[in-house]
């Protein structure tokens, strides 16, 4: 493994109390960052922060005012923010387009798309003024391929595109902005969807090239890489971490993926 140190850096994670955000908090803290766990679930954020020696702050990303207040408070109480990971988000129940309630579309777009924008701008504007910083947004394979998720897929496509726009916006100000797009990742949110019968675990595993789901730690590794100095020349990319789901899908037209050669496990 590559030695990575975030010693002396302040890292803020939105939606940090669970799943992918939690894995990012744990990994960044283990590698020396001063982590601020933010989440709309303040109690869970507090509990995780205590467990990993981090700070916690309540933040519902849905409004610009809350993100601005949080960014100002973190910088006043803890210090200038070097790293932002925007993991706050909600998944969506697959529904026919005609049956998708408008309030579901509004909620998903408000949190996943506008919430990401709100956090990126509140923290990014401060990074840009200082001339340094790294932001990693959490997109999704659903933002790259169509799925029966008529609110979530377009919202995640917007996250990926806003990442590119912000990378160009702040490049000369020393702020790098990249996205990680997870495939199906074993988090509490996906587990709940599987248990509710909204996703089929065997299909989620079986449709990827590697034949497995992704772990939150797999995503955190990619996030840490993009935040680190090893990625100093990388900005505006979208890195899928999906166990090869994106490359495998089109093979169904040709009869599906071949089985393992030899004695591969
Ligand atoms: N799990 C997957 O398969 C998967 C795949 C692709 C992308 N993603 C994305 O990864 C991110 C994290 O998802 P997860 O699976 O870890 O879910 P999760 O539910 O385990 O964690 C999400 C966290 O975000 C918080 N949150 C939700 N709305 C918020 C808001 N308005 N303000 C602040 N915090 C809020 C929740 O309280 C929770 O702690 C999401 O953006 C999701 O869309 C997940």
């Amino acid at each position: 493994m590559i030695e990575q140190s975030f010693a002396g850096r302040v890292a803020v994670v939105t939606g940090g109390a669970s799943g992918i955000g939690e894995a990012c908090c744990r990994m960044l803290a283990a590698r020396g960052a001063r982590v601020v766990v933010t989440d709309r679930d303040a109690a869970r954020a507090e509990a995780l922060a205590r467990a990993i020696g981090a700070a916690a702050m309540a933040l519902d990303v849905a409004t610009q005012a809350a993100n601005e207040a949080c960014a100002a408070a973190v910088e006043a109480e803890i210090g200038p923010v070097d790293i932002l990971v925007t993991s706050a988000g909600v998944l969506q129940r697959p529904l026919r387009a005609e049956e998708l309630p408008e309030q579901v579309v509004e909620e998903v777009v408000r949190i996943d798309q506008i919430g990401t924008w709100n956090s990126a701008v509140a923290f990014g504007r401060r990074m840009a003024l200082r001339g340094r910083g790294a932001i990693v947004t959490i997109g999704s394979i659903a933002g790259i391929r169509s799925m029966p998720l008529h609110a979530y897929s377009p919202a995640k496509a917007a996250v990926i595109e806003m990442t590119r726009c912000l990378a160009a916006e702040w490049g000369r100000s020393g702020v790098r902005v990249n996205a990680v797009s997870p495939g199906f990742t074993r988090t509490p949110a996906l587990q709940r969807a599987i248990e509710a019968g909204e996703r089929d675990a065997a299909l989620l595993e079986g449709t990827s090239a590697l034949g497995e789901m992704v772990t939150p730690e797999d995503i955190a590794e990619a996030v840490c890489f993009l935040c680190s100095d090893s990625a100093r020349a990388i900005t505006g990319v979208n890195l899928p971490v999906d166990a090869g789901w994106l490359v495998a899908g089109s093979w169904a037209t040709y009869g599906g993926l071949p089985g393992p050669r030899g004695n591969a496990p």
Side-chain angles (χ1 to χ4, degrees):
M1 199 193 71
I2 303 161
E3 279 300 313
Q4 235 170 31
S5 172
F6 296 107
R9 299 200 193 170
V10 174
V12 172
V13 180
T14 71
S18 175
I20 289 168
E22 175 178 348
C24 291
C25 288
R26 289 182 181 280
M27 203 171 280
L28 285 161
R31 297 179 186 179
R34 179 95 204 270
V35 171
V36 186
V37 184
T38 73
D39 204 286
R40 71 175 171 186
D41 186 337
R44 282 193 69 156
E46 282 284 351
L48 176 63
R50 261 196 309 279
I52 64 172
M57 216 166 268
L59 171 60
D60 185 330
V61 298
T63 67
Q64 203 170 45
N67 282 274
E68 278 298 328
C70 179
V74 170
E75 301 227 333
E77 293 166 29
I78 292 160
V81 176
D82 302 287
I83 291 167
L84 171 71
V85 182
T86 63
S87 190
V90 287
L91 305 185
Q92 190 219 309
R93 202 150 59 93
L95 283 175
R96 300 278 70 84
E98 302 90 321
E99 287 154 17
L100 185 62
E102 186 183 5
Q103 65 266 32
V104 173
V105 180
E106 275 175 356
E107 188 206 8
V108 170
V109 170
R110 170 55 62 181
I111 297 175
D112 292 8
Q113 178 181 338
I114 300 175
T116 301
W117 166 257
N118 286 338
S119 304
V121 172
F123 289 89
R125 74 162 86 241
R126 292 169 165 84
M127 293 175 175
L129 287 174
R130 284 190 292 276
R132 65 170 204 280
I135 298 174
V136 178
T137 60
I138 303 297
S140 171
I141 51 172
I144 303 171
R145 293 278 188 281
S146 87
M147 291 190 188
L149 304 171
H150 295 280
Y152 185 80
S153 278
K156 287 298 187 177
V159 168
I160 293 165
E161 194 52 39
M162 86 174 63
T163 301
R164 295 190 185 109
C165 293
L166 290 173
E169 181 78 37
W170 290 328
R172 299 296 172 93
S173 301
V175 181
R176 296 184 300 104
V177 192
N178 292 294
V180 169
S181 278
F184 299 105
T185 310
R186 282 201 181 274
T187 64
L190 189 63
Q191 201 56 43
R192 281 194 297 276
I194 291 169
E195 280 158 21
E198 295 167 12
R199 308 281 196 282
D200 179 328
L203 281 177
L204 301 187
E205 285 171 358
T207 48
S208 74
L210 298 179
E212 59 187 47
M213 274 193 239
V214 179
T215 68
E217 292 71 29
D218 294 327
I219 307 300
E221 282 288 4
V223 168
C224 282
F225 165 68
L226 288 171
C227 291
S228 77
D229 294 341
S230 303
R232 58 169 291 281
I234 301 176
T235 195
V237 306
N238 174 36
L239 175 59
V241 180
D242 66 342
W245 184 87
L246 287 168
V247 295
S250 49
W251 284 54
T253 313
Y254 295 86
L257 295 167
R261 316 289 199 279
N263 296 320

